[in-house]
Amino acid sequence: MVNKKAMEGYGRGAIESEVNYASPYRIIQMLMEGALARVATAKGCIARNEIAEKGHQISWCIRIIDGLKTSLDAEKGGEIAENLDSLYDYITRRLLEANVSNDVAILDEVTKLLEEIKAGWDGIPPEFH
């Protein structure tokens, strides 16, 4: 049987290695993937009534969203950065509501919003990375 700690360590090491060589676009994609994974895990925690872990996963997702928000460049990004800033604020509020109410429907809404944002990043042609 594979040691869970070893696998977690491998995962962290692989991510750290990828971040060292990733473009800023890839880092954003990785952050989005991480946020989506945290929301999915939080949904599972609600189903299993693991309230403390649900709160941990949602808090982790909020920290990722905060990181994405602070990386916005209003000067270069203009209206797009402004819209993303507002959307990240909205997502954070919805995550807080989901945490308090254990509402999977809110987490589904957040997932859809994050998937739309990620699809935009995924659609950027490689020559612009």
Side-chain angles (χ1 to χ4, degrees):
M1 183 161 182
V2 176
N3 182 320
K4 185 177 179 182
K5 281 196 177 252
M7 288 301 292
E8 289 172 355
Y10 170 78
R12 276 192 300 273
I15 289 170
E16 288 171 8
S17 177
E18 186 172 356
V19 166
N20 288 334
Y21 298 101
S23 71
Y25 293 95
R26 179 64 188 131
I27 292 172
I28 297 293
Q29 288 173 315
M30 291 171 64
L31 289 169
M32 291 301 230
E33 291 163 4
L36 286 163
R38 303 291 71 80
V39 173
T41 303
K43 284 176 56 176
C45 290
I46 290 171
R48 293 183 302 275
N49 201 31
E50 297 172 353
I51 303 308
E53 184 59 22
K54 174 226 34 174
H56 174 72
Q57 294 295 319
I58 289 176
S59 293
W60 192 350
C61 185
I62 289 171
R63 286 192 306 272
I64 292 170
I65 299 301
D66 285 345
L68 289 166
K69 185 178 162 107
T70 58
S71 72
L72 295 172
D73 185 335
E75 189 175 306
K76 290 181 184 176
E79 186 178 345
I80 292 172
E82 187 177 308
N83 290 340
L84 281 172
D85 185 71
S86 295
L87 189 53
Y88 290 150
D89 279 342
Y90 176 77
I91 288 170
T92 298
R93 285 193 310 274
R94 295 301 281 163
L95 286 166
L96 291 169
E97 290 173 33
N99 194 28
V100 169
S101 64
N102 292 321
D103 192 332
V104 173
I106 294 173
L107 294 178
D108 288 339
E109 175 192 3
V110 167
T111 296
K112 287 179 185 169
L113 292 169
L114 290 173
E115 287 173 342
E116 286 180 32
I117 297 167
K118 186 177 179 311
W121 282 100
D122 292 346
I124 296 172
E127 60 267 19
F128 292 106
H129 291 203

